[in-house]
Amino acid sequence: MDSEEIVRRVNALKLSSSNKDGVVIISADLTSQGLQRLDSCLVGKVLSSKAVNRDTFRTHMPRILQAKKPVNIEVVGENTFLLDFHSVIDRRHVLMDGPWTFFKDLVVFKAPQGLQKPADLVFDEMPIWVQCYNIPIVFMQSTILRNIGSKIGQVLDIEAGDDGNCIGRFARVRVMLDITKPLKQGIWVQTEEKSEAVCIVLLYERLPNFCFSCGIIGHAQRNCDSKSNEGQSDKYGNWLRAQSSAGVRSPIV
Ligand SMILES: [Zn+2]
């Protein structure tokens, strides 16, 4: 039974006064035990227009995730898998250190909360390090970079010294990126005194497959529905991929 059929049947079984007596009441203790299990679980979805083979995913994903202990994996939806970790350290690593890819397609992981079902989860964001180039030295400090980073996504981290200053050819900002929107190639910055605006150029570390036509992650250019960028063949490309930086884990796949 596919997920649409399940929704149809649930709607047909709307709770009414005539069948309320049949509701099963789960005790607080049992519910609490079930909630504890969530601490070892994540749900991951491969964003690809191709169907992902269950056995291939189960075989390769623990290695890709660099899991130190076994991970039980089962299909729970279309290209969607429940991962049950034997190690909370492995689970935290997967949740915190993305983005992850499965043969270059993005895998978005979510931690289910409360009574959420896999079908309730929305896989619309991923954490990623962004390298910011062409920044004036006066802007190379964490407070300003936080302002700049907030235009890319929710800022999770900034690579800076104890004094808040950044040094190097580029600054690194880690953000939670909304993957339903096109990748940004740059951010324009100007001082309050209306200095000449400067374009901060953005490159993304460990960037998964994305569409060179619309700039959205999760489908290939040949499967793109957007016609808005026709004729702008150089708007998106592999040049948005950053070389991995020192201290950054290299992608395995
Ligand atoms: Zn597209």
Side-chain angles (χ1 to χ4, degrees), residues 52-217:
V52 173
N53 179 276
R54 163 185 176 269
D55 293 335
T56 310
F57 188 88
R58 291 174 71 171
T59 301
H60 293 282
M61 207 60 209
R63 177 183 60 83
I64 293 167
L65 297 173
Q66 303 164 347
K68 302 283 190 292
K69 299 272 179 68
V71 188
N72 296 333
I73 300 176
E74 195 46 87
V75 175
V76 290
E78 189 182 348
N79 281 359
T80 308
F81 301 85
L82 178 69
L83 291 84
D84 202 341
F85 292 86
H86 288 212
S87 157
V88 292
I89 296 170
D90 284 343
R91 179 184 180 274
R92 188 168 58 237
H93 167 55
V94 171
L95 201 54
M96 305 297 290
D97 297 337
W100 300 101
T101 52
F102 184 68
F103 295 98
K104 297 187 179 173
D105 286 325
L106 175 64
V107 191
V108 178
F109 287 98
K110 287 280 183 174
Q113 310 284 325
L115 298 186
Q116 276 186 321
K117 305 175 290 294
D120 297 330
L121 300 171
V122 180
F123 301 89
D124 60 355
E125 58 185 14
M126 69 168 187
I128 193 165
W129 278 107
V130 184
Q131 296 180 2
C132 306
Y133 285 81
N134 198 40
I135 297 193
I137 294 168
V138 293
F139 293 167
M140 290 282 276
Q141 52 147 304
S142 58
T143 311
I144 292 176
L145 284 165
R146 190 167 291 281
N147 285 333
I148 295 170
S150 68
K151 296 293 182 191
I152 312 168
Q154 179 199 348
V155 177
L156 304 173
D157 199 2
I158 291 166
E159 191 176 72
D162 292 340
D163 57 2
N165 291 330
C166 311
I167 191 164
R169 287 190 304 122
F170 55 86
R172 291 177 78 223
V173 181
R174 186 164 173 81
V175 297
M176 188 61 79
L177 196 69
D178 181 346
I179 56 172
T180 65
K181 294 180 178 160
L183 291 165
K184 283 187 164 66
Q185 302 101 321
I187 303 281
W188 288 91
V189 182
Q190 189 176 35
T191 65
E192 204 172 33
E193 291 77 28
K194 301 283 185 235
S195 64
E196 187 180 345
V198 177
C199 183
I200 310 294
V201 176
L202 308 177
L203 299 184
Y204 297 81
E205 295 180 5
R206 295 167 58 188
L207 187 60
N209 278 344
F210 66 102
C211 175
F212 286 2
S213 182
C214 69
I216 292 178
I217 295 167

Side-chain angles (χ1 to χ4, degrees), residues 24-45:
V24 178
I25 307 297
I26 310 298
S27 71
D29 280 353
L30 287 175
T31 303
S32 176
Q33 284 178 31
L35 289 172
Q36 282 176 24
R37 194 198 163 194
L38 291 183
D39 293 340
S40 67
C41 291
L42 290 177
V43 179
K45 178 165 187 164

Side-chain angles (χ1 to χ4, degrees), residues 211 213-216 219-221 223-226:
C211 175
S213 182
C214 69
I216 292 178
H219 66 265
Q221 193 169 15
N223 298 318
C224 185
D225 294 330
S226 171

